[in-house]
Amino acid sequence: MLTCGLALAGCSREAPEDAIRAQVVALQTAIEQRSASDVADVLDEDFIGPQNMDRRAARQMAAVLMLRHQRIGVLTGPVDVTLQGEDRATVRTRAALTGGEGSALLPDSAQAWRIESGWRLRDGVWRITSLTWTPVLQ
């Protein structure tokens, strides 16, 4: 009986890939709801982005984008999660941001992005440690 209970408890834990995908959705929701603080919540305290952007600068960039656009939508492609051990992962996807009435792509020139992010499990929560984006079309 005890063994059965332990087995059920082990099954109730969310698989790492599912937990990361849930965080990707949380990030998308934070962007669409125009919440720079919720965007920052998905970023690790050691976050590093392009041009040595830290967590604070990423939050500020999100806030500026959100001030410029009353509506923001996120269109994503398939999300590819690659685990590296028990506490690290890489996530790859493609995305485009929409603004205005949901039809104008951000920035002003239409562009889709290849996005690669590093993730770390810290205190039971997956957060982004690194992020790069490159234009799909050049």
Side-chain angles (χ1 to χ4, degrees):
M1 189 74 152
L2 179 60
T3 304
C4 185
L6 289 174
L8 286 174
C11 291
S12 67
R13 273 188 16 181
E14 191 172 27
E17 295 93 341
D18 294 337
I20 292 168
R21 288 176 192 280
Q23 284 291 81
V24 169
V25 170
L27 178 59
Q28 180 176 348
T29 301
I31 293 167
E32 290 176 343
Q33 292 181 349
R34 302 174 62 243
S35 175
S37 62
D38 288 349
V39 168
D41 286 347
V42 181
L43 305 179
D44 192 73
E45 61 191 47
D46 296 330
F47 172 81
I48 188 80
Q51 301 172 341
N52 294 319
M53 177 189 304
D54 63 7
R55 185 172 186 255
R56 183 173 154 260
R59 184 188 186 286
Q60 289 173 337
M61 185 179 89
V64 167
L65 179 69
M66 292 166 186
L67 285 172
R68 286 186 187 163
H69 301 279
Q70 287 298 319
R71 289 178 145 175
I72 299 175
V74 181
L75 307 172
T76 60
V79 176
D80 177 42
V81 177
T82 304
L83 293 175
Q84 299 151 346
E86 294 181 10
D87 66 344
R88 301 279 180 161
T90 300
V91 175
R92 292 176 185 88
T93 191
R94 292 183 186 202
L97 296 179
T98 62
E101 295 303 312
S103 60
L105 291 174
L106 302 176
D108 294 332
S109 61
Q111 187 62 264
W113 304 91
R114 282 186 198 94
I115 300 172
E116 183 169 321
S117 53
W119 293 71
R120 174 189 304 158
L121 180 64
R122 188 191 302 240
D123 299 326
V125 179
W126 286 95
R127 291 197 170 88
I128 300 171
T129 57
S130 64
L131 183 66
T132 59
W133 57 87
T134 55
V136 172
L137 304 173
Q138 283 192 314

